[in-house]
Amino acid sequence: QVQLVESGGGLVQAGGSLRLSCAASGRTFSTYAMGWFRQAPGKDRECVSTINRNGDITYYADSVKGRFTISRDNAKNTVYLQMNSLEAEDTALYFCAARFTYSGSYFRRVSEYNYWGPGTQVTVSS
């Protein structure tokens, strides 16, 4: 089992940057594919970006491609989301998620993840 805690959210002006971090408990972080999801008020939770257990395969939603970068440091049990050129539409509660896997695949669906953090709020003012 793994526990996740996100940090790094906040209030930023449009065009600004934030770096989200997700710290995971346990000694088997490298066996988990990781993902960042977000949920705005009144909307479904959506996938923002995901990364496989080795960190060499990534996925980005079209809406963030070219602006966000996901990475992970398995030695520090941490996954990051660097968010640049933020837009008002990026305002949401951002969640970190983990899925235990033996494969080198990434996963994009909410239902594919077993563990979730409590979330960190990102608010972008226009």
Side-chain angles (χ1 to χ4, degrees):
Q1 195 165 357
V2 63
Q3 292 183 323
L4 307 172
V5 179
E6 304 94 339
S7 61
L11 173 64
V12 64
Q13 288 188 332
S17 297
L18 284 173
R19 189 194 196 201
L20 305 184
S21 298
C22 172
S25 65
R27 295 175 291 178
T28 59
F29 181 69
S30 62
T31 61
Y32 290 85
M34 302 296 296
W36 285 99
F37 292 76
R38 67 186 181 188
Q39 188 166 17
K43 294 188 176 181
D44 293 334
R45 191 169 299 188
E46 64 174 357
C47 180
V48 175
S49 180
T50 68
I51 190 167
N52 71 338
R53 54 181 286 179
N54 299 323
D56 56 356
I57 302 176
T58 58
Y59 163 83
Y60 296 94
D62 288 343
S63 58
V64 307
K65 204 170 293 183
R67 299 188 298 122
F68 291 10
T69 302
I70 191 171
S71 62
R72 65 189 295 163
D73 185 337
N74 286 347
K76 295 183 178 180
N77 285 12
T78 303
V79 62
Y80 305 97
L81 186 68
Q82 178 67 43
M83 305 187 295
N84 299 329
S85 303
L86 283 161
E87 304 169 352
E89 292 74 21
D90 296 317
T91 295
L93 187 61
Y94 281 70
F95 298 91
C96 173
R99 173 196 167 106
F100 178 81
T101 180
Y102 289 111
S103 80
S105 300
Y106 63 78
F107 303 90
R108 294 185 291 167
R109 297 183 178 88
V110 171
S111 60
E112 292 176 314
Y113 286 83
N114 310 104
Y115 304 101
W116 293 84
T120 185
Q121 178 67 38
V122 171
T123 302
V124 183
S125 63
S126 58

